[in-house]
Amino acid sequence: MSTALLAAALQQTATPGLPGAGIARVDAARAAARAALAQQSALVDARAEPWRYTSLRALEAQALPLASAADDAKVVELPPALGPRLVFIDGHYAPRHSQLADLPVGVNFKPLSALRAEDWQVHAALLQFVGGGSDALEPLNLALASAGVLLDVQPGVVVDAPIEVIYFGVFANPCAWHARSRVLLGEGARVILLERQLGPGAGLATLHTEYHVHADARLDLVQMQEAGAALSLLRTSTLMLAARATLRMHALDLGAALTRHALGVRLRGTQARAELRHVVALDRRQHADLQMDLRHEVGETSSDVRCRAVAAARSRAVLQGAITIAAGADGSDAALSTHNLLLSDQAEIDARPVMEIHADEVRAAHGASVGQLDATMLFYLRARGLPEAEARALLTAAHCRAVLDDIVHADLRTAAMQALDARIQSLR
Amino acid sequence: MLKIENLHVRVAGKEILKGLSLQVNAGEVHAIMGPNGAGKSTLGNVLAGREGYEVTAGSVLFEGRDLLVLEPEERAAAGVFLAFQYPVEIAGVNNTYFLRAALNAQRKARGETELDSMQFLKLVREKLKVLELPDALLHRGVNESFSGGEKKRNEIFQMALLEPRLAILDETDSGLDIDALRQVAAGVNAQRAPSRAFIVITHYQRLLDHIRPDQVHVLAEGRIIASGGVELAEKLEAEGYAGVPQEAQA
């Protein structure tokens, strides 16, 4: 007996026109995913530890239709483009809103729907389960993915302008859509990638992305989630870093009713470095759950994770952040901090930083705090004339801004700060 | 300008001010001296409206208005300024942004037009010169990584910018070397005006060599126990609080 959500999803797996339909290997992979999905009785195992803090029960009870193909002429208000951009509306590619004219040489950037048979062959990983398929999320995403991108950057190519992927939801009636993406940076390549969720669309979205940062490459990744207030967003991001590769990631969770992000980072080559910054600002009954699993698989690798959560009203923020230093990964350097603000006595923040160290010669530091706005700071600002609400907003924003300072691209940094400030101002 | 009558204040259940009375007129500088724990900082905080200071009796009138019913930001807009004994560091709040927001919030509350960024910057440049503060301080977080002296000078800089009617300096001289002390005093003296009053809380007479007060008060055990001219401060410096002259006692 499967849940209403899964039963509805299974009925729609025969939907024609999904990207790659008619290409044998894609059809086969989707059929296998459908079969795997049919074996599942629920989207996730609610009793499993990784789902301890996030209940999908309400979601599972909804027989959500698959989002129909978007009307591309639909007027949607998008922020000005900072560089090449792919836009999806309700989970479908929207070419009129996308900009690919100035794509630099050596960058293959296209929507799933534009992939040819040879792309699917080269990037067959798009058709595989990474997480072992232990729950229904991966097969659901693979069987029904209508959106997503391939970003393949040739070795040595440096792209200065941010490359953008925007998912815009307009559908007023709750519906479901799914996106699968693959990002590859060849040796020495450098890319700034912005992934953004916008618009009022309601329902369920699943996003599954794999990132491969090859030797000496650098990925600056900014994820700005400003989705509609009735969207549930289930996200998996898996990042693989080779020798001397650098990842600097800023993730902002500002919107949606419910988000859960399984973020996996593997430091696979010596001197690989990952810097993760996560900001979450919630109110009403919003729920955001970040499950981070960062692994130093080899020695002489470094990581620096800084999280800031702000929870108002009856919202709940969860950070389960684990850093593992594998046996033999000597010379690794890991830092994990999470500092959080509770703005109401009915809000909840669960911060669980975990360090698991199997090597001897390592440096590892961690810190966690959950508290309220500092009364002395608040008084200081008010004593200079700032009204209390403004002083609170200023201090709350400052708490989060501290981890956004190092977004490398100035316009992107400004956009992130503005999104944050607007969210903080609107917290109730 | 300021009339405090029989003020009783409790902090964390303990009575700190026990019937303090004080009158300060426009254009005057009043120095308040006294031993540790006498209630000097409590007086500053209660006038600025800090939470946790419970007024159990007495009244405070500021330009005829009941000051005690106002929120801290309303007091600021009315013209009350407290230079903090320990200015707080606020990382992530840009100093310039904060000062402009504060000034404009006050102006708005008073029904005055707000300053645009050009007008504000011009004003800031003028005031910075007096305090000999580097421009770079403006771009940092509020008091972030400021030295002790810079923090105190920044308080006086803020005072110069906000142009209050009543400025309360809570041990602004503590922790300052002689040069910083001179700069702070110069900043204060430049602000002296017939329409403005100062309450200078200090432990030491040396500040009063640079900022000449009109009146000196001794605060002990929650009350003003003696008042006089600058000679009172000199006597205290020489003889300590034990030597407070009986004839001067309030």
mmCIF file of all heavy atoms in Angstrom, chain B residues 19-63:
data_model
loop_
_atom_site.group_PDB
_atom_site.id
_atom_site.type_symbol
_atom_site.label_atom_id
_atom_site.label_comp_id
_atom_site.label_asym_id
_atom_site.label_seq_id
_atom_site.Cartn_x
_atom_site.Cartn_y
_atom_site.Cartn_z
ATOM 1 N N GLY B 19 17.060 57.853 46.242
ATOM 2 C CA GLY B 19 16.591 59.213 46.478
ATOM 3 C C GLY B 19 17.519 60.259 45.893
ATOM 4 O O GLY B 19 17.854 61.239 46.545
ATOM 5 N N LEU B 20 17.914 60.032 44.633
ATOM 6 C CA LEU B 20 18.838 60.965 43.982
ATOM 7 C C LEU B 20 18.069 62.147 43.398
ATOM 8 O O LEU B 20 17.048 61.965 42.743
ATOM 9 C CB LEU B 20 19.609 60.224 42.879
ATOM 10 C CG LEU B 20 20.669 61.037 42.126
ATOM 11 C CD1 LEU B 20 21.855 60.147 41.804
ATOM 12 C CD2 LEU B 20 20.126 61.684 40.865
ATOM 13 N N SER B 21 18.553 63.342 43.669
ATOM 14 C CA SER B 21 17.975 64.546 43.072
ATOM 15 C C SER B 21 19.080 65.350 42.399
ATOM 16 O O SER B 21 20.198 65.424 42.908
ATOM 17 C CB SER B 21 17.295 65.404 44.144
ATOM 18 O OG SER B 21 16.204 64.690 44.722
ATOM 19 N N LEU B 22 18.737 65.911 41.227
ATOM 20 C CA LEU B 22 19.741 66.642 40.459
ATOM 21 C C LEU B 22 19.033 67.538 39.459
ATOM 22 O O LEU B 22 18.079 67.119 38.809
ATOM 23 C CB LEU B 22 20.648 65.647 39.714
ATOM 24 C CG LEU B 22 21.746 66.218 38.823
ATOM 25 C CD1 LEU B 22 22.830 66.894 39.654
ATOM 26 C CD2 LEU B 22 22.376 65.113 37.980
ATOM 27 N N GLN B 23 19.516 68.754 39.362
ATOM 28 C CA GLN B 23 18.965 69.637 38.336
ATOM 29 C C GLN B 23 20.088 70.142 37.447
ATOM 30 O O GLN B 23 21.114 70.615 37.919
ATOM 31 C CB GLN B 23 18.232 70.811 38.988
ATOM 32 C CG GLN B 23 17.656 71.752 37.944
ATOM 33 C CD GLN B 23 16.476 72.562 38.445
ATOM 34 O OE1 GLN B 23 15.952 72.310 39.534
ATOM 35 N NE2 GLN B 23 16.040 73.518 37.656
ATOM 36 N N VAL B 24 19.886 69.987 36.127
ATOM 37 C CA VAL B 24 20.890 70.422 35.155
ATOM 38 C C VAL B 24 20.216 71.392 34.193
ATOM 39 O O VAL B 24 19.193 71.063 33.590
ATOM 40 C CB VAL B 24 21.452 69.212 34.372
ATOM 41 C CG1 VAL B 24 22.466 69.674 33.326
ATOM 42 C CG2 VAL B 24 22.091 68.194 35.317
ATOM 43 N N ASN B 25 20.815 72.581 34.070
ATOM 44 C CA ASN B 25 20.245 73.577 33.161
ATOM 45 C C ASN B 25 20.983 73.580 31.827
ATOM 46 O O ASN B 25 22.139 73.145 31.733
ATOM 47 C CB ASN B 25 20.328 74.968 33.797
ATOM 48 C CG ASN B 25 19.540 75.024 35.100
ATOM 49 O OD1 ASN B 25 18.409 74.528 35.174
ATOM 50 N ND2 ASN B 25 20.161 75.576 36.125
ATOM 51 N N ALA B 26 20.297 74.081 30.811
ATOM 52 C CA ALA B 26 20.899 74.170 29.471
ATOM 53 C C ALA B 26 22.211 74.948 29.555
ATOM 54 O O ALA B 26 22.307 75.924 30.302
ATOM 55 C CB ALA B 26 19.927 74.849 28.518
ATOM 56 N N GLY B 27 23.189 74.478 28.815
ATOM 57 C CA GLY B 27 24.472 75.156 28.760
ATOM 58 C C GLY B 27 25.440 74.754 29.853
ATOM 59 O O GLY B 27 26.611 75.123 29.813
ATOM 60 N N GLU B 28 24.983 73.944 30.821
ATOM 61 C CA GLU B 28 25.846 73.584 31.949
ATOM 62 C C GLU B 28 26.541 72.242 31.745
ATOM 63 O O GLU B 28 26.038 71.362 31.049
ATOM 64 C CB GLU B 28 25.019 73.499 33.241
ATOM 65 C CG GLU B 28 24.467 74.859 33.682
ATOM 66 C CD GLU B 28 23.618 74.763 34.947
ATOM 67 O OE1 GLU B 28 23.302 73.623 35.384
ATOM 68 O OE2 GLU B 28 23.269 75.813 35.485
ATOM 69 N N VAL B 29 27.688 72.109 32.402
ATOM 70 C CA VAL B 29 28.380 70.830 32.473
ATOM 71 C C VAL B 29 28.440 70.397 33.934
ATOM 72 O O VAL B 29 28.974 71.133 34.776
ATOM 73 C CB VAL B 29 29.816 70.919 31.902
ATOM 74 C CG1 VAL B 29 30.550 69.591 32.093
ATOM 75 C CG2 VAL B 29 29.783 71.289 30.421
ATOM 76 N N HIS B 30 27.855 69.250 34.228
ATOM 77 C CA HIS B 30 27.872 68.729 35.590
ATOM 78 C C HIS B 30 28.752 67.486 35.646
ATOM 79 O O HIS B 30 28.567 66.578 34.834
ATOM 80 C CB HIS B 30 26.452 68.356 36.050
ATOM 81 C CG HIS B 30 25.587 69.542 36.303
ATOM 82 N ND1 HIS B 30 25.015 69.798 37.517
ATOM 83 C CD2 HIS B 30 25.217 70.587 35.488
ATOM 84 C CE1 HIS B 30 24.318 70.919 37.453
ATOM 85 N NE2 HIS B 30 24.417 71.417 36.230
ATOM 86 N N ALA B 31 29.667 67.466 36.573
ATOM 87 C CA ALA B 31 30.503 66.276 36.757
ATOM 88 C C ALA B 31 29.939 65.470 37.913
ATOM 89 O O ALA B 31 29.543 66.044 38.939
ATOM 90 C CB ALA B 31 31.937 66.680 37.042
ATOM 91 N N ILE B 32 29.871 64.165 37.741
ATOM 92 C CA ILE B 32 29.440 63.304 38.837
ATOM 93 C C ILE B 32 30.576 62.362 39.179
ATOM 94 O O ILE B 32 31.069 61.609 38.326
ATOM 95 C CB ILE B 32 28.159 62.534 38.472
ATOM 96 C CG1 ILE B 32 27.040 63.543 38.256
ATOM 97 C CG2 ILE B 32 27.819 61.510 39.550
ATOM 98 C CD1 ILE B 32 25.659 63.024 38.240
ATOM 99 N N MET B 33 31.012 62.451 40.403
ATOM 100 C CA MET B 33 32.113 61.614 40.866
ATOM 101 C C MET B 33 31.602 60.755 42.011
ATOM 102 O O MET B 33 30.552 61.046 42.589
ATOM 103 C CB MET B 33 33.286 62.475 41.307
ATOM 104 C CG MET B 33 33.753 63.442 40.216
ATOM 105 S SD MET B 33 35.160 64.459 40.686
ATOM 106 C CE MET B 33 36.476 63.264 40.625
ATOM 107 N N GLY B 34 32.345 59.728 42.311
ATOM 108 C CA GLY B 34 31.902 58.897 43.419
ATOM 109 C C GLY B 34 32.625 57.571 43.407
ATOM 110 O O GLY B 34 33.181 57.175 42.386
ATOM 111 N N PRO B 35 32.605 56.889 44.549
ATOM 112 C CA PRO B 35 33.326 55.612 44.633
ATOM 113 C C PRO B 35 32.654 54.534 43.778
ATOM 114 O O PRO B 35 31.516 54.703 43.335
ATOM 115 C CB PRO B 35 33.226 55.265 46.124
ATOM 116 C CG PRO B 35 32.034 56.018 46.628
ATOM 117 C CD PRO B 35 31.945 57.250 45.803
ATOM 118 N N ASN B 36 33.378 53.433 43.561
ATOM 119 C CA ASN B 36 32.815 52.299 42.838
ATOM 120 C C ASN B 36 31.536 51.841 43.513
ATOM 121 O O ASN B 36 31.451 51.806 44.738
ATOM 122 C CB ASN B 36 33.803 51.127 42.824
ATOM 123 C CG ASN B 36 35.016 51.435 41.965
ATOM 124 O OD1 ASN B 36 34.910 52.147 40.965
ATOM 125 N ND2 ASN B 36 36.165 50.925 42.369
ATOM 126 N N GLY B 37 30.551 51.498 42.698
ATOM 127 C CA GLY B 37 29.317 50.934 43.251
ATOM 128 C C GLY B 37 28.376 51.981 43.816
ATOM 129 O O GLY B 37 27.374 51.632 44.437
ATOM 130 N N ALA B 38 28.678 53.267 43.602
ATOM 131 C CA ALA B 38 27.841 54.321 44.168
ATOM 132 C C ALA B 38 26.532 54.486 43.410
ATOM 133 O O ALA B 38 25.561 55.021 43.938
ATOM 134 C CB ALA B 38 28.604 55.641 44.169
ATOM 135 N N GLY B 39 26.528 54.035 42.122
ATOM 136 C CA GLY B 39 25.318 54.173 41.316
ATOM 137 C C GLY B 39 25.489 55.130 40.144
ATOM 138 O O GLY B 39 24.509 55.520 39.518
ATOM 139 N N LYS B 40 26.749 55.488 39.833
ATOM 140 C CA LYS B 40 26.996 56.464 38.758
ATOM 141 C C LYS B 40 26.515 55.944 37.399
ATOM 142 O O LYS B 40 25.804 56.627 36.676
ATOM 143 C CB LYS B 40 28.491 56.815 38.686
ATOM 144 C CG LYS B 40 29.085 57.364 39.978
ATOM 145 C CD LYS B 40 30.490 57.892 39.774
ATOM 146 C CE LYS B 40 31.490 56.840 39.326
ATOM 147 N NZ LYS B 40 31.687 55.755 40.310
ATOM 148 N N SER B 41 26.926 54.717 37.068
ATOM 149 C CA SER B 41 26.530 54.155 35.774
ATOM 150 C C SER B 41 25.042 53.855 35.733
ATOM 151 O O SER B 41 24.405 53.959 34.683
ATOM 152 C CB SER B 41 27.321 52.881 35.473
ATOM 153 O OG SER B 41 28.654 53.228 35.159
ATOM 154 N N THR B 42 24.492 53.492 36.884
ATOM 155 C CA THR B 42 23.051 53.254 36.969
ATOM 156 C C THR B 42 22.292 54.511 36.562
ATOM 157 O O THR B 42 21.312 54.448 35.822
ATOM 158 C CB THR B 42 22.657 52.827 38.400
ATOM 159 O OG1 THR B 42 23.283 51.581 38.673
ATOM 160 C CG2 THR B 42 21.153 52.685 38.548
ATOM 161 N N LEU B 43 22.779 55.647 37.017
ATOM 162 C CA LEU B 43 22.134 56.909 36.671
ATOM 163 C C LEU B 43 22.129 57.101 35.152
ATOM 164 O O LEU B 43 21.095 57.414 34.556
ATOM 165 C CB LEU B 43 22.856 58.079 37.365
ATOM 166 C CG LEU B 43 22.347 59.475 37.006
ATOM 167 C CD1 LEU B 43 20.891 59.644 37.411
ATOM 168 C CD2 LEU B 43 23.217 60.557 37.637
ATOM 169 N N GLY B 44 23.289 56.867 34.515
ATOM 170 C CA GLY B 44 23.387 57.014 33.054
ATOM 171 C C GLY B 44 22.432 56.073 32.334
ATOM 172 O O GLY B 44 21.705 56.473 31.421
ATOM 173 N N ASN B 45 22.436 54.821 32.774
ATOM 174 C CA ASN B 45 21.596 53.825 32.110
ATOM 175 C C ASN B 45 20.106 54.093 32.294
ATOM 176 O O ASN B 45 19.317 53.893 31.368
ATOM 177 C CB ASN B 45 21.946 52.420 32.620
ATOM 178 C CG ASN B 45 23.224 51.891 31.991
ATOM 179 O OD1 ASN B 45 23.412 52.000 30.780
ATOM 180 N ND2 ASN B 45 24.115 51.332 32.799
ATOM 181 N N VAL B 46 19.741 54.532 33.474
ATOM 182 C CA VAL B 46 18.315 54.748 33.724
ATOM 183 C C VAL B 46 17.825 55.971 32.939
ATOM 184 O O VAL B 46 16.694 55.991 32.449
ATOM 185 C CB VAL B 46 18.016 54.832 35.238
ATOM 186 C CG1 VAL B 46 18.300 56.210 35.810
ATOM 187 C CG2 VAL B 46 16.569 54.445 35.531
ATOM 188 N N LEU B 47 18.701 56.955 32.757
ATOM 189 C CA LEU B 47 18.308 58.120 31.956
ATOM 190 C C LEU B 47 18.167 57.750 30.476
ATOM 191 O O LEU B 47 17.327 58.290 29.763
ATOM 192 C CB LEU B 47 19.330 59.257 32.115
ATOM 193 C CG LEU B 47 19.370 59.934 33.493
ATOM 194 C CD1 LEU B 47 20.458 61.005 33.541
ATOM 195 C CD2 LEU B 47 18.011 60.547 33.842
ATOM 196 N N ALA B 48 19.004 56.797 30.014
ATOM 197 C CA ALA B 48 18.947 56.405 28.602
ATOM 198 C C ALA B 48 17.867 55.351 28.346
ATOM 199 O O ALA B 48 17.543 55.059 27.201
ATOM 200 C CB ALA B 48 20.308 55.888 28.146
ATOM 201 N N GLY B 49 17.329 54.745 29.410
ATOM 202 C CA GLY B 49 16.200 53.833 29.224
ATOM 203 C C GLY B 49 16.542 52.374 29.114
ATOM 204 O O GLY B 49 15.799 51.598 28.510
ATOM 205 N N ARG B 50 17.664 51.974 29.688
ATOM 206 C CA ARG B 50 18.062 50.578 29.577
ATOM 207 C C ARG B 50 17.116 49.666 30.361
ATOM 208 O O ARG B 50 16.664 50.031 31.451
ATOM 209 C CB ARG B 50 19.480 50.412 30.120
ATOM 210 C CG ARG B 50 20.055 49.052 29.847
ATOM 211 C CD ARG B 50 21.533 49.034 30.184
ATOM 212 N NE ARG B 50 22.152 47.859 29.611
ATOM 213 C CZ ARG B 50 23.427 47.787 29.275
ATOM 214 N NH1 ARG B 50 24.206 48.826 29.444
ATOM 215 N NH2 ARG B 50 23.920 46.694 28.765
ATOM 216 N N GLU B 51 16.842 48.502 29.772
ATOM 217 C CA GLU B 51 15.988 47.524 30.447
ATOM 218 C C GLU B 51 16.676 46.991 31.699
ATOM 219 O O GLU B 51 17.898 46.923 31.771
ATOM 220 C CB GLU B 51 15.719 46.340 29.517
ATOM 221 C CG GLU B 51 14.451 46.517 28.700
ATOM 222 C CD GLU B 51 14.182 45.318 27.817
ATOM 223 O OE1 GLU B 51 14.475 44.191 28.237
ATOM 224 O OE2 GLU B 51 13.685 45.537 26.703
ATOM 225 N N GLY B 52 15.889 46.583 32.659
ATOM 226 C CA GLY B 52 16.458 45.979 33.865
ATOM 227 C C GLY B 52 16.674 46.981 34.983
ATOM 228 O O GLY B 52 17.113 46.620 36.067
ATOM 229 N N TYR B 53 16.374 48.251 34.696
ATOM 230 C CA TYR B 53 16.525 49.287 35.728
ATOM 231 C C TYR B 53 15.117 49.722 36.144
ATOM 232 O O TYR B 53 14.430 50.401 35.405
ATOM 233 C CB TYR B 53 17.337 50.467 35.194
ATOM 234 C CG TYR B 53 18.788 50.093 34.953
ATOM 235 C CD1 TYR B 53 19.147 49.370 33.820
ATOM 236 C CD2 TYR B 53 19.774 50.426 35.871
ATOM 237 C CE1 TYR B 53 20.468 48.990 33.599
ATOM 238 C CE2 TYR B 53 21.094 50.060 35.666
ATOM 239 C CZ TYR B 53 21.439 49.337 34.530
ATOM 240 O OH TYR B 53 22.736 48.967 34.322
ATOM 241 N N GLU B 54 14.716 49.301 37.316
ATOM 242 C CA GLU B 54 13.341 49.507 37.749
ATOM 243 C C GLU B 54 13.249 50.753 38.638
ATOM 244 O O GLU B 54 13.861 50.814 39.709
ATOM 245 C CB GLU B 54 12.883 48.261 38.532
ATOM 246 C CG GLU B 54 11.438 48.302 38.935
ATOM 247 C CD GLU B 54 11.125 47.275 40.034
ATOM 248 O OE1 GLU B 54 12.027 46.459 40.373
ATOM 249 O OE2 GLU B 54 10.012 47.302 40.547
ATOM 250 N N VAL B 55 12.504 51.718 38.138
ATOM 251 C CA VAL B 55 12.315 52.945 38.922
ATOM 252 C C VAL B 55 11.178 52.699 39.914
ATOM 253 O O VAL B 55 10.053 52.425 39.517
ATOM 254 C CB VAL B 55 11.980 54.138 38.006
ATOM 255 C CG1 VAL B 55 11.698 55.391 38.842
ATOM 256 C CG2 VAL B 55 13.132 54.399 37.043
ATOM 257 N N THR B 56 11.478 52.758 41.192
ATOM 258 C CA THR B 56 10.464 52.464 42.208
ATOM 259 C C THR B 56 9.854 53.732 42.793
ATOM 260 O O THR B 56 8.779 53.687 43.380
ATOM 261 C CB THR B 56 11.053 51.609 43.346
ATOM 262 O OG1 THR B 56 12.212 52.274 43.849
ATOM 263 C CG2 THR B 56 11.449 50.226 42.849
ATOM 264 N N ALA B 57 10.550 54.849 42.650
ATOM 265 C CA ALA B 57 9.991 56.116 43.138
ATOM 266 C C ALA B 57 10.752 57.259 42.490
ATOM 267 O O ALA B 57 11.850 57.077 41.963
ATOM 268 C CB ALA B 57 10.115 56.211 44.661
ATOM 269 N N GLY B 58 10.124 58.449 42.532
ATOM 270 C CA GLY B 58 10.800 59.630 42.024
ATOM 271 C C GLY B 58 10.392 59.956 40.600
ATOM 272 O O GLY B 58 9.596 59.245 39.989
ATOM 273 N N SER B 59 10.958 61.050 40.098
ATOM 274 C CA SER B 59 10.581 61.481 38.751
ATOM 275 C C SER B 59 11.790 62.057 38.022
ATOM 276 O O SER B 59 12.762 62.492 38.634
ATOM 277 C CB SER B 59 9.485 62.547 38.843
ATOM 278 O OG SER B 59 10.001 63.690 39.492
ATOM 279 N N VAL B 60 11.717 61.982 36.687
ATOM 280 C CA VAL B 60 12.742 62.597 35.851
ATOM 281 C C VAL B 60 12.027 63.395 34.766
ATOM 282 O O VAL B 60 11.306 62.828 33.938
ATOM 283 C CB VAL B 60 13.657 61.548 35.197
ATOM 284 C CG1 VAL B 60 14.693 62.245 34.304
ATOM 285 C CG2 VAL B 60 14.356 60.696 36.247
ATOM 286 N N LEU B 61 12.194 64.686 34.793
ATOM 287 C CA LEU B 61 11.614 65.535 33.757
ATOM 288 C C LEU B 61 12.735 66.023 32.848
ATOM 289 O O LEU B 61 13.772 66.503 33.328
ATOM 290 C CB LEU B 61 10.897 66.742 34.373
ATOM 291 C CG LEU B 61 9.597 66.466 35.133
ATOM 292 C CD1 LEU B 61 9.023 67.776 35.681
ATOM 293 C CD2 LEU B 61 8.572 65.758 34.238
ATOM 294 N N PHE B 62 12.533 65.855 31.536
ATOM 295 C CA PHE B 62 13.505 66.345 30.559
ATOM 296 C C PHE B 62 12.780 67.341 29.667
ATOM 297 O O PHE B 62 11.841 66.983 28.958
ATOM 298 C CB PHE B 62 14.066 65.176 29.738
ATOM 299 C CG PHE B 62 15.010 65.620 28.654
ATOM 300 C CD1 PHE B 62 16.227 66.214 28.977
ATOM 301 C CD2 PHE B 62 14.684 65.456 27.320
ATOM 302 C CE1 PHE B 62 17.105 66.626 27.979
ATOM 303 C CE2 PHE B 62 15.560 65.854 26.318
ATOM 304 C CZ PHE B 62 16.771 66.443 26.649
ATOM 305 N N GLU B 63 13.170 68.592 29.777
ATOM 306 C CA GLU B 63 12.513 69.678 29.055
ATOM 307 C C GLU B 63 10.998 69.617 29.270
ATOM 308 O O GLU B 63 10.213 69.693 28.326
ATOM 309 C CB GLU B 63 12.886 69.646 27.585
ATOM 310 C CG GLU B 63 14.402 69.839 27.434
ATOM 311 C CD GLU B 63 14.845 70.136 26.008
ATOM 312 O OE1 GLU B 63 14.347 69.458 25.113
ATOM 313 O OE2 GLU B 63 15.674 71.040 25.836
#
